[in-house]
Amino acid sequence: MIPLAQPVVGAREEELVLEVLRSGRLSLGPMLARFERMFAERLGVPQASAVSSGTAGLHLAVRAAGIEPGQEVVTSPFSFVASANCVVYEGARPVFCDIDRRTLNIDPDAAAAAVGENAAGLLPVHIFGYPADLPALERIAQQRGLWIVEDACEALGARHGDGRPVGARGHQAVFAFYANKQITTGEGGMVVSEHKERIDSERNQGRAPDMGWLDHDRLGFNYRLSDVACALGVAQLERLDDLLAARSRVAARYSEALAGIEGLELPCPDEGGDVRGWFVYVVQLPQGADRDTAIKALRERGVDSKPYLPAIHLMSFYRERFGHREGEFPVAEDVARRSIALPFFPQMTESQVAEVAEALEQVVAGYATSRS
Ligand SMILES: *Cc1c(COP(=O)(O)O)cnc(C)c1O
């Protein structure tokens, strides 16, 4: 079976993890500061805060941006559920808007139309590592007095048309290091924020940096990332360029191998100077194909795949809590119905890509025959 994802971890990760274990400083130690510094330098931002997950980071970033119960945040329905959940945690309401069919990121016109009187901010997601249209969203935010928090959890290594790395435009931005991301710490995340002191305090139960043990001056959480995880992060950052290059190599092979399959939609190529940071390889099946049957048929041919991503507003919790229904966001719903993630990882060989392409071609051809 060709797996969906596979982390690259080697001797350097073992060495640094061992260094932490032997140092006895397993949490809030020097490896934490080292990982944060290295990440900030890589992005070209002044500072960053490591946290226990991307979700935790989004929660802290939204709190630091300023959010009150009942307020609204405009965001994408075509994302991993965490980018909407972090708003719900604060008693606020995610307001979804439709996406752009090419990039699959929120459509700035739809976002502007979704901004109501109670809107506090915009939460764009750089889905599948492709940069969201931040210049357009920044204009909306400025006109309407909104903050922006970027969900860059899938977008390490991506760049905007002006050359700036995703996450380095001066808004709060959150990255994630779950095992399938561009770099992994097992579980983990990073918040780029001008409110570092607040983020660092709230990840640590609300303790101020200069406060004594167990004294707390605000509400906080345990969103700390251990130094063992940070050691993994440092080793992974050292090999980031190689990892990114390998991912784009695999993506290029896929795009070549899949180009001939009729009706199949591939990830959009880079345009206007925007550069994708390759995270997953997601294709949209031809119109009319049944996704679940395709996934089963691929599995029978030794290829793992999964629906990626289901629309958030149509998940049962969101339907029940916020009264969503089908038909609200036609583009997002169409894309969500047809999208599957194919196996995608840096060490993937040319023959594995060919194997996946052949299986997918058979499966899609099967639909063509069964339809006619
Ligand atoms: C991975 C991811 C997150 C964060 O996930 P965690 O598992 O909490 O690290 C958030 N948003 C998106 C779009 C993601 O892909």
Side-chain angles (χ1 to χ4, degrees), residues 144-163:
R144 310 296 293 269
L146 306 172
W147 48 251
I148 293 178
V149 168
E150 297 177 50
D151 180 341
C153 290
E154 303 191 349
L156 184 57
R159 282 181 182 279
H160 290 284
D162 64 3

Side-chain angles (χ1 to χ4, degrees), residues 52-58 78-83 125-128 151-154 174-178 180-181 187-189 279 308-309:
S52 53
S53 70
T55 307
L58 285 166
F78 188 66
S79 173
F80 179 59
V81 69
S83 56
V125 182
H126 304 282
I127 202 71
F128 306 154
D151 180 341
C153 290
E154 303 191 349
V174 181
F175 294 84
F177 311 130
Y178 180 67
N180 68 340
K181 310 274 175 174
E187 298 281 358
F279 165 58
Y308 212 82
L309 295 147

Side-chain angles (χ1 to χ4, degrees), residues 199-279:
I199 302 281
D200 289 2
S201 165
E202 290 194 4
R203 79 176 166 193
N204 191 25
Q205 306 287 10
R207 196 183 315 156
D210 56 353
M211 280 177 119
W213 181 242
L214 297 184
D215 195 3
H216 306 268
D217 64 351
R218 65 168 86 225
L219 179 66
F221 307 85
N222 178 358
Y223 285 166
R224 294 186 302 266
L225 189 65
S226 80
D227 277 50
V228 179
C230 291
L232 281 173
V234 168
Q236 292 270 290
L237 275 180
E238 286 176 359
R239 57 164 99 233
L240 176 59
D241 286 324
D242 289 342
L243 292 172
L244 291 173
R247 281 180 181 269
S248 20
R249 219 160 34 238
V250 174
R253 282 189 192 136
Y254 257 130
S255 299
E256 223 168 273
L258 300 176
I261 304 183
E262 206 171 312
L264 191 74
E265 285 179 55
L266 306 185
C268 71
D270 293 345
E271 208 179 279
D274 287 338
V275 178
R276 189 192 295 269
W278 279 97
F279 165 58

Side-chain angles (χ1 to χ4, degrees), residues 30-73:
M31 199 58 89
L32 168 67
R34 184 166 159 194
F35 182 35
E36 290 177 339
R37 222 169 27 243
M38 202 170 161
F39 191 92
E41 265 165 34
R42 167 77 202 206
L43 222 63
V45 296
Q47 56 200 18
S49 300
V51 289
S52 53
S53 70
T55 307
L58 285 166
H59 187 195
L60 295 184
V62 163
R63 283 172 60 85
I67 186 111
E68 299 295 330
Q71 282 190 317
E72 297 179 346
V73 175

